[in-house]
Amino acid sequence: MNDLTERQRFLLSLVIHEYVRSAMPVGSKHVVDEFNLDMSSATVRNDMAVLTDMGYLRQPHLSAGRVPTEDGYRLFVSNIVQETDLPDSTRRTISHQFYQMRQDVEGWTRLAASVLAHQSRAASLVTAPHPEESRFKHIELIAARGRQVLMVLVLMGGEILQRFITLDEPVTQEQLSSAADHFNNLYTGRNIEDMSSDHTPLNTLEQDFRKSVLDEMESAESMISGDVVLDGLTNVLAEPEFSAPGEARRALRVLEEKPLLNEILSKTVLHSHSQGGVQVLIGGEGIYDALSQVSIVLARYGTPGLATGTLGVLGPMRMPYGRTISIVRFLSSLLSDMVNDTIVE
Amino acid sequence: MNDLTERQRFLLSLVIHEYVRSAMPVGSKHVVDEFNLDMSSATVRNDMAVLTDMGYLRQPHLSAGRVPTEDGYRLFVSNIVQETDLPDSTRRTISHQFYQMRQDVEGWTRLAASVLAHQSRAASLVTAPHPEESRFKHIELIAARGRQVLMVLVLMGGEILQRFITLDEPVTQEQLSSAADHFNNLYTGRNIEDMSSDHTPLNTLEQDFRKSVLDEMESAESMISGDVVLDGLTNVLAEPEFSAPGEARRALRVLEEKPLLNEILSKTVLHSHSQGGVQVLIGGEGIYDALSQVSIVLARYGTPGLATGTLGVLGPMRMPYGRTISIVRFLSSLLSDMVNDTIVE
DNA sequence: AATTAGCACTCGATAGCCTTGAGTGCTAAA
DNA sequence: TTTAGCACTCAAGGCTATCGAGTGCTAATT
């Protein structure tokens, strides 16, 4: 496939491996020596010339070794790379950490981000699980100071929304509790549409709250992902490609600019090269300038239709893809299990 | 004070201003020209020699200009600097942003971090408001899948804790609701001690939950601060002192390593140089190696005894202290007002 | 036909050397 | 006490020479 001989693809993978390891252009002789190849450097040279012509390799300077191009990485990831499985002991350790966290939903995302960052030695991002459809589970109304009320809204799936509401006139906790009870009896299990079309008579206070509840549920539904938890940003700073002034900044900025990040998280599902559920976005793909030096390995987790989230890793394009993909896949399935085991329905 | 003449202190402040601006060693002639001083460079030179002898300035190389030392910055911050107030228009814009966020408690900390980062052009950190004492306000028990129960615990002050609990046997939502009601009647407004010494008879299920509630409240109380929200990490990467390989990493790592960060947040209240409520930690103060290149400007906000949080800025030691202190102070008072206006009690 | 040895060539990186100039400390005059 | 004057220091920048890893091409070898 792709007009490449088996040997050329093999050599491409060797060059990528070596470049990932050393971060320096890889020469023909170097490859032969390093991997004890049973051919001469001239042979390698010829094939490398072909790979360069085809756009998979590139020479930084005319007299230096070869470096993989974006296309080279892409070919490698989609056709050549094989995942390097995590050692069993590591898998067990991680599973155990999550088991101990099973009680603390908020802790999951933080733990996932932390584990991803450590294992991949890159920056990680994890969004909390988020239901695709907002369905009412439970409401609690709590009197705060003055005419303020704290509304705590629990959705099917376990998501908790909280919001302050300022009323026109003060009310008692009893009135609030009664309104909450009323809602809980009326709406539990129903989605926005259901609730909108319901015309059970409500008193003025309740009508106010009903509007707030619907508002909140709608904004929850339209949100693609909840908070993004980041970790390991400093890992990226250790990479040599980001020692040039401004490069590190450009790369990490992607993670701090929420609009851009959200766009990438939502679009990437379509645009990128998939590896059985794990998405790999290599170097901006000509679309995102800010990503020109980095790659992102992403996966969704959870149960489609119910609650899903996204998790992934951002690192230099010069990244150990086999290993990273394997880590992301493992954590994705682990988190899916967590979500499924404890989902509120 | 401090054996320094008025002029020497004045010159120190000029050198710091100029160094903060240019990031380059400041020479005697440069100071005279830049600020149109009515004295000769030789005079400045003499005073700068004195300041150097006293340890407030330093020469990177024997033939270059002067750079402030940690002690120099400290003297400057504690005796010389005057705050540069934010323009009224900026203050109003910020106040308005917070006003629009008034309903969304979780949004406060994020907004505060974002504003801090933008205004100070450095990295910012904000912890959510956290009550010093855990007092029970409300509990909600929600059946999840299998024998799992989602416990939602609201504390006085508005903090919401959520946790999954696995029971030995399945129970109905009715049983859960009844237990929750019981707790709400029994414990509202009471603290841990109160609750521990209460011996109202409870059924087995309720005893289990009571233990979980107390556990959770205790761990909330012992937590010094909630989640730390970070923003603007990439701002720091633009600073020239962090272009040296590894320096940026060392500086930002402080923010990613939670144990270290927590230690600093808690200890700093005592150890550092205060500016009327705003704490300034300059260059690790010989204690924290990781901070040797950076300064942190911190303030607590909220109401002591009720709920408090911490917010601040981390930037290069070469930082516009007057401006930064003023920003931190402004946001601290703004957040304090927010907390006081909407506190749940 | 594919592989390999041989070779001339390219060009970034490193080292050495020189010049430049901003900044210094000191001394003597104002 | 301040300032003018001056000799001195030393990093930074420019120039040149050398080095060597790596290349592409051609001709010989398998």
Side-chain angles (χ1 to χ4, degrees):
Chain A
M1 111 169 331
N2 255 310
D3 301 356
L4 287 184
T5 67
E6 190 57 38
R7 192 179 62 197
Q8 283 161 353
R9 302 212 279 143
F10 176 61
L11 285 176
L12 177 60
S13 86
L14 292 190
V15 170
I16 290 181
H17 267 108
E18 187 55 17
Y19 182 65
V20 166
R21 203 186 58 76
S22 70
M24 295 175 67
V26 182
S28 51
K29 185 148 186 305
H30 194 97
V31 173
V32 175
D33 292 352
E34 190 72 16
F35 298 100
N36 296 310
L37 294 191
D38 205 11
M39 54 185 113
S40 79
S41 66
T43 310
V44 174
R45 208 140 57 226
N46 288 332
D47 274 347
M48 278 167 64
V50 173
L51 288 167
T52 305
D53 281 348
M54 303 188 80
Y56 298 126
L57 293 179
R58 177 173 66 79
Q59 294 174 273
H61 333 288
L62 248 140
S63 80
R66 303 307 214 279
V67 163
T69 62
E70 284 192 30
D71 281 340
Y73 284 120
R74 255 172 233 138
L75 179 67
F76 175 71
V77 167
S78 54
N79 288 324
I80 304 172
V81 71
Q82 50 193 23
E83 296 188 29
T84 49
D85 288 330
L86 293 178
D88 263 6
S89 63
T90 309
R91 301 172 94 96
R92 269 198 298 274
T93 309
I94 296 173
S95 298
H96 182 67
Q97 287 179 290
F98 274 93
Y99 179 76
Q100 291 191 310
M101 267 282 167
R102 92 206 96 101
Q103 297 188 314
D104 175 9
V105 204
E106 301 207 337
W108 297 354
T109 51
R110 276 201 301 275
L111 178 58
S114 161
V115 169
L116 269 179
H118 272 92
Q119 292 293 326
S120 69
R121 289 176 217 102
S124 63
L125 67 163
V126 180
T127 72
H130 178 72
E132 288 178 17
E133 184 193 41
S134 286
R135 287 200 296 144
F136 185 98
K137 168 75 191 181
H138 202 97
I139 192 176
E140 205 57 40
L141 297 169
I142 299 164
R145 173 170 295 184
R147 290 166 294 126
Q148 309 261 23
V149 174
L150 175 61
M151 169 175 97
V152 179
L153 188 60
V154 182
L155 301 185
M156 293 294 199
E159 204 170 19
I160 297 183
L161 311 171
Q162 52 181 306
R163 170 171 170 181
F164 274 111
I165 295 168
T166 309
L167 300 175
D168 296 333
E169 353 209 296
V171 293
T172 64
Q173 178 64 54
E174 282 68 39
Q175 286 174 286
L176 293 175
S177 299
S178 128
D181 278 353
H182 197 182
F183 285 137
N184 288 332
N185 289 327
L186 219 50
Y187 294 141
T188 295
R190 302 174 80 170
N191 63 17
I192 296 179
E193 239 180 314
D194 259 9
M195 290 171 62
S196 304
S197 59
D198 181 291
H199 292 100
T200 313
L202 300 172
N203 64 34
T204 329
L205 184 66
E206 288 171 341
Q207 278 167 22
D208 275 6
F209 283 128
R210 181 171 184 274
K211 191 167 176 319
S212 294
V213 170
L214 284 170
D215 275 4
E216 200 70 358
M217 284 172 70
E218 255 158 34
S219 80
E221 195 164 296
S222 66
M223 203 160 33
I224 295 152
S225 58
D227 251 357
V228 183
V229 176
L230 304 177
D231 202 347
L233 300 212
T234 54
N235 288 344
V236 178
L237 298 179
E239 301 295 339
E241 37 268 82
F242 300 119
S243 62
E247 280 307 322
R249 188 155 190 239
R250 189 151 67 111
L252 290 186
R253 211 168 208 179
V254 179
L255 297 176
E256 285 205 331
E257 278 192 30
K258 299 297 141 119
L260 175 58
L261 184 57
N262 272 325
E263 185 190 325
I264 291 169
L265 289 189
S266 54
K267 277 203 186 162
T268 200
V269 181
L270 306 171
H271 276 295
S272 57
H273 301 236
S274 168
Q275 265 291 328
V278 178
Q279 316 271 333
V280 184
L281 181 71
I282 293 168
E285 316 256 345
I287 316 171
Y288 304 107
D289 185 49
L291 298 183
S292 61
Q293 299 296 316
V294 302
S295 286
I296 302 183
V297 178
L298 278 182
R300 302 228 96 204
Y301 69 89
T303 311
L306 256 171
T308 60
T310 308
L311 89 191
V313 157
L314 179 147
M317 215 185 302
R318 183 182 64 72
M319 175 194 274
Y321 289 97
R323 186 184 155 83
T324 309
I325 290 171
S326 154
I327 293 165
V328 169
R329 166 167 299 125
F330 175 61
L331 274 176
S332 153
S333 78
L334 202 54
L335 268 188
S336 293
D337 291 347
M338 299 283 291
V339 170
N340 286 331
D341 283 355
T342 51
I343 207 156
V344 176
E345 60 179 8
Chain B
M1 110 165 338
N2 256 310
D3 302 355
L4 288 184
T5 65
E6 191 58 36
R7 192 178 63 199
Q8 283 161 353
R9 301 212 279 145
F10 176 62
L11 285 176
L12 176 61
S13 86
L14 291 189
V15 169
I16 290 180
H17 267 108
E18 188 54 17
Y19 182 65
V20 166
R21 202 185 59 75
S22 70
M24 295 176 66
V26 181
S28 51
K29 187 149 183 305
H30 193 97
V31 173
V32 175
D33 291 352
E34 190 72 15
F35 298 99
N36 296 312
L37 293 192
D38 204 15
M39 55 183 113
S40 79
S41 65
T43 309
V44 174
R45 208 142 57 228
N46 288 333
D47 274 347
M48 278 167 64
V50 174
L51 287 166
T52 306
D53 281 348
M54 302 186 80
Y56 299 125
L57 294 178
R58 176 174 68 79
Q59 293 173 276
H61 334 288
L62 225 79
S63 82
R66 303 306 215 281
V67 161
T69 61
E70 285 193 29
D71 281 340
Y73 284 121
R74 253 171 236 138
L75 179 66
F76 175 71
V77 167
S78 53
N79 289 325
I80 304 173
V81 71
Q82 51 192 23
E83 295 188 29
T84 50
D85 289 330
L86 292 178
D88 263 5
S89 63
T90 309
R91 301 172 94 97
R92 270 197 298 272
T93 309
I94 297 173
S95 297
H96 183 67
Q97 287 180 290
F98 274 93
Y99 179 75
Q100 291 192 310
M101 266 284 169
R102 92 206 96 100
Q103 296 187 316
D104 175 8
V105 204
E106 301 206 337
W108 297 353
T109 51
R110 275 200 301 274
L111 178 58
S114 161
V115 170
L116 269 180
H118 274 90
Q119 291 294 326
S120 69
R121 289 178 216 99
S124 63
L125 67 163
V126 180
T127 71
H130 178 74
E132 288 178 16
E133 185 194 41
S134 287
R135 286 200 298 144
F136 185 99
K137 167 76 191 179
H138 202 96
I139 192 175
E140 205 57 40
L141 295 169
I142 299 165
R145 174 169 293 183
R147 291 168 291 127
Q148 308 262 22
V149 173
L150 175 60
M151 169 176 96
V152 179
L153 187 60
V154 183
L155 300 186
M156 293 292 199
E159 204 169 20
I160 297 183
L161 310 171
Q162 51 181 307
R163 171 170 170 181
F164 274 110
I165 295 168
T166 309
L167 300 174
D168 296 332
E169 353 209 296
V171 291
T172 64
Q173 178 66 53
E174 282 68 40
Q175 287 174 284
L176 293 175
S177 299
S178 128
D181 278 353
H182 197 182
F183 284 137
N184 288 332
N185 289 327
L186 218 50
Y187 294 141
T188 295
R190 302 174 80 169
N191 63 17
I192 297 179
E193 237 180 316
D194 259 10
M195 291 170 63
S196 305
S197 59
D198 181 291
H199 292 101
T200 314
L202 299 172
N203 64 34
T204 329
L205 185 65
E206 288 170 340
Q207 277 168 21
D208 274 6
F209 284 127
R210 181 172 185 273
K211 191 167 174 321
S212 294
V213 171
L214 284 171
D215 275 3
E216 200 70 358
M217 285 173 70
E218 254 159 35
S219 80
E221 195 165 295
S222 68
M223 202 158 34
I224 295 152
S225 58
D227 251 357
V228 183
V229 176
L230 304 177
D231 202 346
L233 301 213
T234 53
N235 288 344
V236 177
L237 299 178
E239 301 294 340
E241 36 268 84
F242 299 119
S243 62
E247 280 306 323
R249 187 157 191 238
R250 189 150 67 112
L252 290 186
R253 211 169 209 178
V254 179
L255 297 176
E256 285 204 332
E257 279 191 28
K258 301 298 143 139
L260 175 57
L261 184 56
N262 272 325
E263 185 189 325
I264 291 169
L265 288 188
S266 54
K267 276 204 187 162
T268 199
V269 181
L270 306 172
H271 277 296
S272 56
H273 301 237
S274 169
Q275 264 292 328
V278 178
Q279 316 271 333
V280 184
L281 182 70
I282 293 169
E285 315 257 344
I287 316 170
Y288 304 107
D289 186 49
L291 297 182
S292 62
Q293 299 295 318
V294 302
S295 286
I296 302 182
V297 178
L298 278 182
R300 303 228 95 203
Y301 70 88
T303 311
L306 257 170
T308 60
T310 308
L311 90 192
V313 158
L314 179 146
M317 216 187 301
R318 183 182 64 73
M319 174 195 275
Y321 289 97
R323 188 184 153 82
T324 308
I325 290 171
S326 156
I327 293 165
V328 169
R329 166 168 298 126
F330 175 61
L331 275 175
S332 152
S333 78
L334 202 54
L335 269 187
S336 293
D337 291 348
M338 300 282 291
V339 170
N340 286 332
D341 284 355
T342 52
I343 208 155
V344 176
E345 57 178 11

